[in-house]
Amino acid sequence: MPADTRARQRTGTGLGLLLALVLGAVLLTALPDDGDRHDACGARTVSSWAPDAGLTDEFARYGNDAARTDDWTGGDGTHSVRLPDGRVLWLFSDTYLGRVYRPPNPAGESYAWRDTGAPLVRNSAVVMEDGRLLRTLPAPLFADPAPGRWRWPVAARVEPRTPGSSVQVVRVVLWTRATGAAPWIYGVPTATEVATLSLPDLRVEGIVRVLDQEGVRDPARRVLFGTAALTGDADWTYVFGGDDARAASRPASRAYVARVPRGRLADPSAWRYWDGTRWSIPSLMRPVLGDGGHKGVGSTFTVTRDRGTYVLFTMASGAEGLTAVTSYWACSPTGPWHGPGRDFSPPLPERRAGVAAYNPQLHPALGRLVLSYDVNWLDTNGIAAQANLSRNVSLYRPRFVTLRLGSG
């Protein structure tokens, strides 16, 4: 029985039995299902980490290859998904194409560089095979929905085209944003969408809108889903999202979670959102992490499950959020989430004001616990920011660390 079913008429001698059935259904819906609970759950935190030079260098090699001018040379919003044939599809948000030149740059610095007029597209996808990046799909892969609006890809999953189908497709969750004024210099959040890509050719078959947020008046309270997605034990896909409180200069954003039956990510009617007690409708959803102060997430974060424990990685709150990654842990996607744990600060290509790390993302497609983070030059002056990203191309590329978790 659906969670929102109510007994509207209770007559005759069957009243007691009917009421018992209704209460039973409500209780079953309110409690986390078997896929949410894990008896082996315990605290999991980062015990050690190390730079993954191999992966970082592979993206540098591919980005610096000047053989073509329509290839990826830098981007952010790094996500990945392993395809059934073993390839890995890497998805990016804002992306530079064009050509990269060897050092020195025009300022005489020993950095590879690009022209400030290099093409910039809103999203891209790069195919990796056997650990080597091979080609960039025609970019942008996901067309703008309208003038002044764009799509950023986030989490992606391979799933049946429909439940039980033998045909598999790639579902890519998309954030749509619109041009805005400060503090929304990176766009005003508008909606969550899901794109379907065919296999093995990775052709965009269609895009559906899953959750429209334009009716929420305060942009800082609009929730976009898809910063992370993972499969539970009970054939559900858990999709995490967050609001944009940090864009409005609040210390931390809040995290939310939805769940969808596998094979139905592109079906808006199949999505259910945690309301604090049960899986419900969008207007009732409540955060699973975030106290409105210093406990919470960045607008992008990532989640994995390790030994029965869910572990969430995000940039730290406050000033440390420009350089340090922290974590939380829970026994269920819905929490309660414990933390934050001890921070760690991965290396940056330049140690100077303006260079920041953001968007930590795990990549289970690689078969080990690898976390990427994006690097950017933060400046409200877009021309100045672009100039700095162009004089040193390593500033706008993902970098990687390998993690080890332990009890803590």
Side-chain angles (χ1 to χ4, degrees), residues 194-278:
V194 173
T196 298
L197 305 184
S198 59
L199 286 169
D201 57 346
L202 301 172
R203 177 176 54 85
V204 178
E205 295 186 342
I207 298 175
V208 299
R209 178 161 289 200
V210 168
L211 181 65
D212 194 318
Q213 290 286 274
E214 293 190 75
V216 179
R217 295 185 62 182
D218 181 0
R221 296 186 178 275
R222 295 179 180 180
V223 181
L224 300 185
F225 281 86
T227 184
L230 67 160
T231 302
D233 290 339
D235 213 29
W236 297 97
T237 297
Y238 294 96
V239 187
F240 289 83
D243 60 29
D244 250 5
R246 287 186 75 163
S249 301
R250 297 173 188 169
S253 295
R254 292 169 288 266
Y256 298 75
V257 65
R259 73 175 188 180
V260 191
R262 293 182 67 188
R264 298 185 67 184
L265 276 172
D267 179 0
S269 68
W271 286 59
R272 293 293 181 270
Y273 305 83
W274 188 249
D275 71 359
T277 304
R278 58 179 64 84

Side-chain angles (χ1 to χ4, degrees), residues 21 27 62 77 107 116 125 153 168 171 174 204 207 210 230 245 250 252 283 295 302 350 352 368 379:
L21 289 173
L27 286 172
Y62 184 75
T116 55
Q168 292 185 305
R171 311 284 195 200
L174 306 171
V204 178
I207 298 175
V210 168
L230 67 160
R250 297 173 188 169
S283 61
K295 186 172 183 178
T302 188
E350 289 186 26
R352 64 168 73 182
R368 61 189 192 278
D379 197 319

Side-chain angles (χ1 to χ4, degrees), residues 116-374:
T116 55
L120 178 69
V121 295
R122 285 301 190 178
N123 59 74
S124 68
V126 182
V127 178
M128 172 182 276
E129 188 169 353
D130 297 328
R132 188 172 177 84
L133 297 166
L134 297 180
R135 66 187 180 99
T136 301
L137 299 181
L141 183 60
F142 308 104
D144 293 348
R149 295 174 180 249
W150 61 89
R151 292 176 166 125
W152 283 343
V154 280
R157 308 289 294 174
V158 174
E159 68 171 17
R161 182 178 293 280
T162 57
S165 172
S166 61
V167 178
Q168 292 185 305
V169 294
V170 182
R171 311 284 195 200
V172 181
V173 187
L174 306 171
W175 289 352
T176 66
R177 302 180 87 91
T179 303
W184 308 103
I185 59 174
Y186 299 111
V188 178
T190 59
T192 300
E193 299 179 323
V194 173
T196 298
L197 305 184
S198 59
L199 286 169
D201 57 346
L202 301 172
R203 177 176 54 85
V204 178
E205 295 186 342
I207 298 175
V208 299
R209 178 161 289 200
V210 168
L211 181 65
D212 194 318
Q213 290 286 274
E214 293 190 75
V216 179
R217 295 185 62 182
D218 181 0
R221 296 186 178 275
R222 295 179 180 180
V223 181
L224 300 185
F225 281 86
T227 184
L230 67 160
T231 302
D233 290 339
D235 213 29
W236 297 97
T237 297
Y238 294 96
V239 187
F240 289 83
D243 60 29
D244 250 5
R246 287 186 75 163
S249 301
R250 297 173 188 169
S253 295
R254 292 169 288 266
Y256 298 75
V257 65
R259 73 175 188 180
V260 191
R262 293 182 67 188
R264 298 185 67 184
L265 276 172
D267 179 0
S269 68
W271 286 59
R272 293 293 181 270
Y273 305 83
W274 188 249
D275 71 359
T277 304
R278 58 179 64 84
W279 300 101
S280 186
I281 59 177
S283 61
L284 298 180
M285 64 181 170
R286 295 292 182 269
V288 296
L289 174 59
D291 60 4
H294 291 278
K295 186 172 183 178
V297 296
S299 58
T300 54
F301 56 92
T302 188
V303 183
T304 188
R305 186 178 148 212
D306 182 77
R307 298 185 182 181
T309 300
Y310 291 87
V311 186
L312 182 153
F313 295 92
T314 184
M315 300 308 296
S317 62
E320 291 79 9
L322 298 178
T323 57
V325 178
T326 193
S327 65
Y328 295 82
W329 67 271
C331 296
S332 163
T334 61
W337 289 91
H338 307 276
R342 185 173 65 252
D343 298 349
F344 69 95
S345 295
L348 295 172
E350 289 186 26
R351 286 289 181 180
R352 64 168 73 182
V355 178
Y358 61 107
N359 187 39
Q361 289 294 324
L362 292 166
H363 298 279
L366 301 176
R368 61 189 192 278
L369 196 60
V370 173
L371 182 137
S372 69
Y373 56 100
D374 297 330

